[in-house]
Amino acid sequence: LVGDGGVVQEAGAVAWSDGSGAWFRKASQLRAGRLDEATNVDLNYARETDYVSAAFAMVRRAEFVRRRMFDFHYSPGYYEDTDLCFTLRHAAGLRSVYQPLALVHHQSHSTFGAEVEERVARNRRHFVGKWAAELSEHMPSCVAAAACRPPMKRLYTHLAATRLYAYRVLWVDMILPEADRDSGSVRTLTMLKIRL
């Protein structure tokens, strides 16, 4: 989700344990062409995320209707998209995935005026009441976590944004395994499959 001047508004989002949210890598500057691959390494791969904004979410219509669409309590806005993503994950076993190849230009907060903060606070209370058990498994927000201070803040938010993965394996080798070319590659691929 990109605003004026190519500034990232959202690249997936984190839901903290207190129900507050954080847009992953908000305010990162997009660059033209392939420079993004080198400069915005956090933005250039598909990954599971807690939620995505309804401004650019894609949901199968049948599933959207089956889950009764947006919870009307949040109408006319704020937290309805977060609630939908939680519903799809916990009730239907689906995932919210940030897709870096999707690009949507968005004018932030153009729908509501001065009542934004009040609406966000009201809807957050409802969201926390509805999802308290699930939120208890999430990381604390940067306001509450001492680990989320410079110089560790970037790492902390990255861990929070990718916490849905149980573990990762980093395999370092001189070349990519090519099982059709050598026996060492067959062994390497077998070892990776065992670990995964």
Side-chain angles (χ1 to χ4, degrees):
L1 198 61
V2 178
D4 294 336
V7 176
V8 174
Q9 291 178 357
E10 180 188 324
V14 177
W16 301 112
S17 60
D18 65 359
S20 63
W23 293 316
F24 188 61
R25 294 300 173 247
K26 182 178 180 177
S28 297
Q29 182 67 46
L30 288 181
R31 291 159 182 80
R34 297 180 60 86
L35 286 175
D36 282 338
E37 293 177 12
T39 57
N40 288 339
V41 295
D42 295 332
L43 302 177
N44 67 4
Y45 67 97
R47 69 184 181 303
E48 190 168 351
T49 186
D50 284 337
Y51 67 97
V52 295
S53 172
F56 68 103
M58 291 179 61
V59 180
R60 287 189 181 97
R61 184 183 188 283
E63 195 63 44
F64 186 61
V65 171
R66 183 178 303 120
R67 302 295 163 197
R68 299 192 176 146
M69 300 176 271
F70 293 118
D71 182 336
F72 288 107
H73 178 84
Y74 301 107
S75 181
Y78 297 104
Y79 276 89
E80 78 286 355
D81 42 13
T82 313
D83 180 75
L84 176 64
C85 290
F86 269 58
T87 298
L88 293 172
R89 178 179 304 112
H90 297 288
L94 299 174
R95 301 179 309 149
S96 298
V97 178
Y98 161 72
Q99 173 50 263
L101 298 177
L103 180 67
V104 175
H105 291 276
H106 178 253
Q107 188 170 352
S108 183
H109 303 297
S110 62
T111 307
F112 303 103
E115 76 230 29
V116 169
E117 294 302 319
E118 180 184 321
R119 185 178 311 279
V120 168
R122 180 191 66 131
N123 289 353
R124 178 178 167 194
R125 286 190 300 273
H126 179 73
F127 179 78
V128 168
K130 184 174 180 179
W131 296 105
E134 290 77 6
L135 288 169
S136 70
E137 298 174 5
H138 287 230
M139 291 172 67
S141 71
C142 284
V143 173
C148 191
R149 304 284 185 271
M152 301 304 293
K153 184 173 184 175
R154 187 174 175 91
L155 175 61
Y156 185 86
T157 57
H158 184 78
L159 289 173
T162 59
R163 74 173 157 274
L164 298 173
Y165 301 104
Y167 61 90
R168 293 183 179 179
V169 174
L170 172 64
W171 188 273
V172 180
D173 204 339
M174 290 176 47
I175 59 171
L176 290 173
E178 296 176 319
D180 61 334
R181 297 204 168 182
D182 62 87
S183 63
S185 291
V186 173
R187 186 186 76 211
T188 298
L189 290 172
T190 302
M191 288 171 35
L192 286 171
K193 287 178 184 175
I194 290 170
R195 283 171 171 66
L196 299 175

